[in-house]
């Protein structure tokens, strides 16, 4: 598939009925909302590659997918999808913009990018639902929430790896203000210039059986949370390891008293 649209659904526009799509390659498409796919019906997708799709225009959303309905996807790859934004109008969700219900299994997110905006992997809007199982996010880049930005709503995330994702400001992997459950998740070598190299939380988060390792806040100013920064909300963490996470800030005027 290779098409260009000015607004919705550069590749596929699915707005009604029950749709099933299998074994597709959706590539090199462009639109403002949903460069590869815009969908607001009930849809099931399997064995799909989304690559090199773009979203551009005023506040572009979902370079590969804009979901406004019930979207179920299994065995898929999102690679090198990009939001082309401006300094005046940031973008959201280089791979997926989610405004409804998202159910994902066995997904690879690789090298999706948005230089002025949030959620290079997934941006999930207020009141939306994310269910994510068996996935990897690597080399995502965004202003904040480089892999996953949860504006609100709920998220269930299990058996997922976040590795080498990069935020220009905060939250190298996940920024969440949602009700979020993480189980059997690993955060490895993610970076942010400011707070929360792996996770920024201002919602209600529960973390079980998870690994935070070698995540780094790279900024040398007063920025904190080499693995996790809690700015508000509630956090419950159990059976989780934090190792070799670092921050770049050194307070040369600090003294220790014994």
């Amino acid at each position: 598939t290779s098409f260009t649209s000015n607004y919705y659904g550069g590749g596929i526009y699915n707005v009604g009925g029950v749709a099933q799509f299998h074994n597709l390659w959706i590539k090199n498409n462009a639109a403002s909302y949903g460069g590869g796919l815009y969908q607001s019906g009930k849809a099931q997708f399997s064995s799909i590659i989304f690559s090199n799709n773009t979203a551009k225009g005023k506040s572009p959303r979902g370079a590969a997918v804009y979901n406004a309905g019930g979207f179920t996807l299994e065995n898929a790859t999102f690679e090198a999808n990009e939001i082309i934004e401006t300094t005046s109008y940031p973008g959201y969700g280089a791979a997926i913009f989610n405004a409804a219900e998202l159910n994902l299994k066995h997904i690879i997110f690789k090298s999706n990018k948005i230089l002025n905006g949030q959620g290079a992997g997934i941006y999930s809007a207020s009141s939306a639902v994310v269910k994510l199982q068996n996935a990897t996010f690597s080399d995502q880049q965004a202003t904040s929430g480089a892999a996953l930005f949860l504006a609100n709503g709920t998220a269930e995330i299990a058996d997922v790896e976040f590795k080498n994702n990069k935020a220009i400001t905060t939250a190298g992997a996940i920024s969440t203000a949602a009700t979020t459950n993480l189980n059997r998740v690993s955060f490895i070598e993610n970076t942010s210039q400011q707070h929360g190299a792996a996770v920024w939380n201002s919602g209600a988060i529960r973390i079980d059986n998870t690994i935070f390792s070698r995540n780094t806040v790279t900024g040398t100013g007063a920025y904190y949370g080499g693995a996790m920064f809690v700015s508000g909300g509630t956090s419950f963490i159990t059976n989780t390891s934090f190792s070799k996470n670092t921050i770049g800030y050194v307070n040369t005027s600090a003294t220790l008293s014994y």
Side-chain angles (χ1 to χ4, degrees), residues 73-90:
L73 176 63
E74 191 166 350
N75 298 319
T77 298
F78 292 84
E79 184 171 3
N81 301 286
E82 184 175 358
I83 296 281
I84 300 174
E85 72 297 321
T86 67
T87 55
S88 300
Y89 297 108

Side-chain angles (χ1 to χ4, degrees), residues 80-251:
N81 301 286
E82 184 175 358
I83 296 281
I84 300 174
E85 72 297 321
T86 67
T87 55
S88 300
Y89 297 108
Y92 308 93
I96 300 175
F97 180 92
N98 179 43
E101 185 173 343
L102 194 64
N103 194 336
L104 307 176
K105 292 183 179 179
H106 305 291
I107 311 294
I108 296 170
F109 294 88
K110 184 177 180 180
S111 301
N112 302 290
K113 183 168 66 172
I114 172 171
L115 295 182
N116 180 27
Q118 299 161 332
I122 300 172
Y123 181 99
S124 192
S126 296
S127 302
V129 176
V130 175
K131 296 179 181 178
L132 178 61
Q133 187 173 3
N134 294 108
T136 61
F137 293 80
S138 62
D139 301 303
Q140 314 295 301
Q141 184 174 350
T143 304
S144 62
L148 180 58
F149 192 100
L150 303 169
N152 208 311
T154 62
E156 299 282 342
I157 299 168
D159 303 300
V160 176
E161 180 183 69
F162 297 87
K163 186 173 182 179
N164 198 38
N165 303 290
K166 180 180 179 181
I168 297 170
T169 59
T170 60
I174 298 177
S175 178
T176 178
T179 298
T180 306
N181 289 328
L182 305 178
N183 191 17
R184 299 184 303 277
V185 176
S186 60
F187 296 93
I188 310 295
E189 296 176 346
N190 301 286
T191 62
S192 64
Q193 290 187 23
Q194 299 178 17
H195 307 304
V199 175
W200 168 296
N201 177 55
S202 60
I205 194 168
R206 176 174 179 137
I207 301 174
D208 296 285
N209 309 307
T210 289
I211 296 170
F212 292 83
S213 181
R214 303 187 302 280
N215 302 286
T216 303
V217 172
T218 59
T220 57
Y223 303 123
Y224 310 111
M228 182 174 179
F229 186 92
V230 179
S231 69
T234 60
S235 300
F236 180 87
I237 304 172
T238 185
N239 297 326
T240 292
S241 69
F242 295 81
S243 65
K244 299 182 180 179
N245 305 286
T246 60
I247 61 172
Y249 177 55
V250 177
N251 187 348

